[in-house]
């Protein structure tokens, strides 16, 4: 199944705020994230780590593994203080899924 750009989560039109229910570290730098609307996404943070000094420490497996759900499911946060809100996380996940669909 391919994802289209139109399928990308839009926090401005969503009926409710999306929340993160669960996260699992697949391997550095990939997380599996379960959202409260039932969506499950694998999210690769490679590009985020590569382009941002704020996130570069996440390339270290022990640091990346320190991720936890915070703010009642509205964000992820690492031990370094780096964080990612649920909306931005879902948009990034859906964009990655759409890109994989177009590569298939």
């Amino acid at each position: 199944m391919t994802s289209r750009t139109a399928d990308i989560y839009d926090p401005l039109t969503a009926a409710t705020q999306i929340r993160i229910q669960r996260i699992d570290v697949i391997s550095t730098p990939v997380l599996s994230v379960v959202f409260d609307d039932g969506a499950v996404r694998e999210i690769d943070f490679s590009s985020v780590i590569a382009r941002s000094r704020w996130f570069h420490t996440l390339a270290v497996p022990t640091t990346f593994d320190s991720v936890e759900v915070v703010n009642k499911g509205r964000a992820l946060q690492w031990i370094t203080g780096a964080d990612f809100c649920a909306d931005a996380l879902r948009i990034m996940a859906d964009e990655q899924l759409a890109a994989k669909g177009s590569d298939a």
Side-chain angles (χ1 to χ4, degrees):
M1 177 180 173
T2 45
S3 240
R4 299 180 326 260
T5 303
D7 296 331
I8 294 174
Y9 170 77
D10 182 354
L12 299 176
T13 60
T16 61
Q17 290 185 326
I18 195 121
R19 294 189 184 281
I20 302 160
Q21 285 189 320
R22 194 177 96 226
I23 52 172
D24 294 300
V25 176
I26 303 295
S27 64
T28 304
V30 180
L31 291 179
S32 174
V33 181
V34 178
F35 294 94
D36 67 351
D37 66 352
V40 179
R41 300 284 190 271
E42 282 191 14
I43 305 167
D44 185 342
F45 284 84
S46 296
S47 63
V48 173
I49 291 168
R51 73 173 183 260
S52 171
R53 288 191 291 163
W54 180 246
F55 289 97
H56 80 278
T57 57
L58 300 185
V60 177
T62 53
T63 303
F64 190 78
D65 292 353
S66 73
V67 67
E68 62 183 358
V69 178
V70 297
N71 234 8
K72 299 180 182 175
R74 291 289 298 146
L76 296 180
Q77 186 172 19
W78 285 268
I79 197 167
T80 60
D83 60 354
F84 227 88
C85 78
D87 294 325
L89 190 66
R90 178 60 177 274
I91 290 166
M92 184 170 79
D94 288 349
E95 287 173 345
Q96 288 180 6
L97 184 63
K100 284 181 185 177
S102 67
D103 292 342

